[in-house]
Amino acid sequence: MQDIHADRLLILDFGSQYTQLIARRIREQGVYSEILPCDVDPSRITSFAPKGVILSGGPESTTVADGWKIPAEVYALGVPVLGICYGMQALAQELGGLVEASDLREFGHADLTITNDQSLFSGLSSTGTLSVWMSHGDRVTRVPPGFDVIGSSAHAPIAAMADTKRHYYGLQFHPEVTHSEQGTAMLGYFAHQVCGCGRSWTPQNIIDDAVTQVRAQVGDRHVLLGLSGGVDSSVVAALLHRAIGPQLVCVFVDNGLLRLDEGDQVMQTFAEHLGVRVIRANAETLFLDALTGVSDPEQKRKIIGRVFIEVFDAEASRLPDVAFLAQGTIYPDVIESAGAASGKAHVIKSHHNVGGLPETMQLALVEPLRELFKDEVREIGVSLGLPREMVYRHPFPGPGLGVRILGEVTRAAAETLRLADAIFIDELRRANLYDTVSQAFAVFLPVNSVGVVGDQRRYAPVIALRAVETIDFMTARWAHLPYAFIEGVSSRIINEIEGVSRVVYDVSSKPPATIEWE
Ligand code: XMP
């Protein structure tokens, strides 16, 4: 079988917020790429043996004495190197050019004039002037010996440089950002023409490779998977089913805090359509009993987490021949925990997954998505036959409606919220707005307000609608949904659900508000 990791590029991370984007763009070109921090043990650079290296941007300055250096092992590989932003400046500085700090920061769109289209830019469909995305203060003011200037902008006369003998290239702008015209073509040219990589990183090849690896790891043993209905665990289930069929056993915990019909949908998709072995643990009463009288959000989260593990553990202990536990860890989790371990993480995300490895079980891990970005996980999910709607669903928190019912969680509140949420999502889909927002949901507020429905006075709780636009869920803007649309959702919720007196729309962004209300 073809080795889909053979043609690979290394992305050396100097701390840019766009580093993961570079790796994704390279993979979209069908080329495997991995990210390593710039201060990684250099022997790993050598042993990774890439066909080319891309140096990312970063927040530091090469003009200060202790700025990050390019490890000598990168040059020693003897492969092409592309420096982006800080990466270009580091190349220029280290190879005998000059970098100067400038008060004129260039941020946002800039016009790049291509002055030489014979090397990195020779694969472009049009040359001349391109709109590109800049984000820098320092700039290269003299290229090192052996380099030519191949592009310039108003504030960066040396905006692109090339040494076509050693195959070293530098771009002051960010080709990985979609605002950079033909940026993907530049990266593609570097990967294919300059580094000589093929195009074997495709969804079908990724699936075939994962299937082979899982079979080799698992042999004839059994694998346990906690299926939540979320994207990652769903794709793991579909992939493992393809690889080992009946040796996979899934446990789906229905905690009574799921979306409308979600439990039935999970069972339908996996058990009925795909033929996966799924054990459904109906634990609504257990969860609701444990939550009775509890209003504090952190305490609610802890209880839901604890009961989840108890239920999962009880189900798992009835499966004596299980030797592996499967998890939906994906590549950004791996990068972030590596960053956190080395203390060099720029963004430390709080991981708040419910559950975890039951401590009493001595199980080895199967993590078939460890190398994949979320968009790759989604693509292989669709290739494996999962419904598009499931794979492209908005994120849903592990503690479910437990964090969307403010105050005490009761069965009645969960039922009201489930119906309101379903109406909101249904209307978003009908109006073709679902995919224009990153996350949308309803929240149950335990305050009664007065309303009039028909001739009747109604004194009932309030529902809040929340919809946000975001890229990374670390910051978010409230979605400017059309008034007429919100009006329609509001009137359906009040007319169709008896236990609601009024509907409000949340116009808070993050920060200072979080996405969930808790
Ligand atoms: P916040 O509310 O912190 O949410 O702005 C950011 C994103 O994380 C999701 N979220 C969770 N996801 N388990 C999860 O898997 C959780 O406990 C959890 N809490 C919040 C939230 O829905 C949003 O997408």
Side-chain angles (χ1 to χ4, degrees):
M1 204 180 82
Q2 183 181 22
D3 178 2
I4 61 172
H5 301 92
D7 286 359
R8 54 185 170 192
L9 297 188
L10 169 63
I11 320 292
L12 207 57
D13 181 20
F14 288 88
S16 166
Q17 55 176 325
Y18 301 132
T19 303
Q20 291 194 23
L21 208 48
I22 303 175
R24 281 168 51 192
R25 293 280 173 267
I26 293 296
R27 290 176 179 210
E28 283 164 15
Q29 300 295 311
V31 177
Y32 180 64
S33 65
E34 258 185 49
I35 297 171
L36 290 177
C38 61
D39 62 340
V40 69
D41 176 348
S43 66
R44 288 191 52 199
I45 295 174
T46 311
S47 63
F48 185 66
K51 289 199 154 180
V53 179
I54 299 180
L55 314 169
S56 83
E60 298 215 1
S61 171
T62 57
T63 61
V64 298
D66 58 352
W68 292 114
K69 301 276 182 297
I70 301 168
E73 286 71 10
V74 168
Y75 300 111
L77 288 168
V79 297
V81 178
L82 168 63
I84 293 174
C85 196
Y86 180 90
M88 166 182 178
Q89 293 163 8
L91 263 186
Q93 173 110 334
E94 292 180 21
L95 297 176
L98 194 64
V99 179
E100 288 179 47
S102 161
D103 290 338
L104 278 177
R105 278 190 63 83
E106 200 175 18
F107 183 80
H109 283 284
D111 285 332
L112 172 79
T113 303
I114 291 180
T115 53
N116 177 336
D117 63 4
Q118 294 307 299
S119 56
L120 202 56
F121 299 140
S122 59
L124 304 185
S125 59
S126 68
T127 49
T129 302
L130 301 179
S131 176
V132 295
W133 190 256
M134 289 278 193
S135 172
H136 68 108
D138 295 1
R139 57 186 180 173
V140 176
T141 51
R142 190 182 73 221
V143 294
F147 278 80
D148 293 317
V149 179
I150 60 171
S152 61
S153 73
H155 294 293
I158 303 176
M161 61 181 197
D163 172 345
T164 51
K165 282 217 177 64
R166 289 180 290 181
H167 290 296
Y168 292 161
Y169 303 88
L171 299 175
Q172 183 54 68
F173 55 91
H174 290 275
E176 68 276 21
V177 172
T178 46
H179 310 295
S180 285
E181 234 180 301
Q182 298 198 63
T184 305
M186 295 171 199
L187 292 171
Y189 187 87
F190 179 74
H192 298 298
Q193 271 72 29
V194 179
C195 301
C197 295
R199 293 172 193 271
S200 51
W201 188 258
T202 61
Q204 196 48 55
N205 288 349
I206 296 170
I207 293 171
D208 292 346
D209 183 73
V211 164
T212 309
Q213 303 230 14
V214 167
R215 284 183 184 153
Q217 183 187 3
V218 167
D220 57 4
R221 315 295 296 275
H222 283 77
V223 179
L224 176 69
L225 169 68
L227 184 60
S228 71
V231 179
D232 301 339
S233 71
S234 296
V235 175
V236 172
L239 187 57
L240 293 185
H241 181 66
R242 169 81 57 97
I244 55 171
Q247 289 162 252
L248 169 70
V249 192
C250 299
V251 173
F252 170 65
V253 178
D254 188 340
N255 58 9
L257 302 169
L258 303 171
R259 289 166 285 194
L260 189 67
D261 300 331
E262 188 162 17
D264 294 343
Q265 278 164 13
V266 168
M267 295 308 288
Q268 226 171 36
T269 305
F270 290 95
E272 289 169 37
H273 291 174
L274 292 178
V276 177
R277 279 175 73 188
V278 188
I279 297 167
R280 178 175 183 166
N282 288 317
E284 180 183 24
T285 306
L286 221 54
F287 279 88
L288 292 179
D289 284 354
L291 287 165
T292 303
V294 182
S295 303
D296 176 68
E298 279 307 305
Q299 230 188 322
K300 281 170 21 184
R301 275 180 176 274
K302 286 206 179 88
I303 292 171
I304 296 170
R306 173 177 55 77
V307 178
F308 182 91
I309 292 180
E310 283 167 12
V311 174
F312 187 77
D313 227 352
E315 293 298 333
S317 64
R318 282 197 268 275
L319 303 163
D321 53 348
V322 165
F324 293 92
L325 183 82
Q327 285 193 340
T329 315
I330 67 172
Y331 192 45
D333 303 333
V334 175
I335 301 171
E336 273 154 31
S337 23
S342 77
K344 295 287 185 303
H346 308 285
V347 183
I348 298 176
K349 200 156 103 189
S350 55
H351 289 274
H352 28 210
N353 283 335
V354 169
L357 187 62
E359 278 172 12
T360 50
M361 301 177 72
Q362 299 292 315
L363 299 179
L365 288 182
V366 176
E367 299 179 302
L369 310 180
R370 260 184 92 81
E371 285 186 342
L372 306 183
F373 286 110
K374 194 84 173 184
D375 37 8
E376 294 172 321
V377 170
R378 292 197 157 112
E379 271 184 61
I380 73 163
V382 172
S383 296
L384 285 162
L386 292 178
R388 242 197 131 68
E389 225 181 66
M390 167 179 263
V391 166
Y392 284 89
R393 231 171 167 186
H394 295 164
F396 185 64
L401 302 185
V403 296
R404 295 181 179 169
I405 295 168
L406 305 196
E408 186 184 1
V409 176
T410 63
R411 187 173 266 114
E415 271 161 22
T416 300
L417 180 56
R418 241 192 298 277
L419 294 175
D421 188 72
I423 290 173
F424 187 24
I425 299 301
D426 178 49
E427 289 294 323
L428 281 167
R429 287 202 189 276
R430 283 182 203 225
N432 282 326
L433 289 168
Y434 186 83
D435 293 321
T436 67
V437 298
S438 313
Q439 194 173 9
F441 53 89
V443 183
F444 181 92
L445 310 189
V447 275
N448 282 0
S449 88
V450 173
V452 190
V453 179
D455 295 330
Q456 297 282 319
R457 180 179 187 275
R458 185 184 280 178
Y459 187 54
V462 179
I463 287 290
L465 303 178
R466 177 88 163 129
V468 294
E469 290 163 7
T470 173
I471 297 200
D472 56 7
F473 295 88
M474 306 294 290
T475 60
R477 186 179 94 133
W478 61 275
H480 294 198
L481 292 173
Y483 283 168
F485 170 80
I486 297 173
E487 184 178 21
V489 176
S490 159
S491 84
R492 264 196 73 190
I493 290 176
I494 295 172
N495 288 329
E496 293 177 29
I497 311 172
E498 223 169 89
V500 179
S501 61
R502 69 185 64 220
V503 172
V504 297
Y505 189 63
D506 184 352
V507 291
S508 330
S509 287
K510 174 182 178 178
T514 51
I515 295 174
E516 301 290 346
W517 281 44
E518 305 270 342

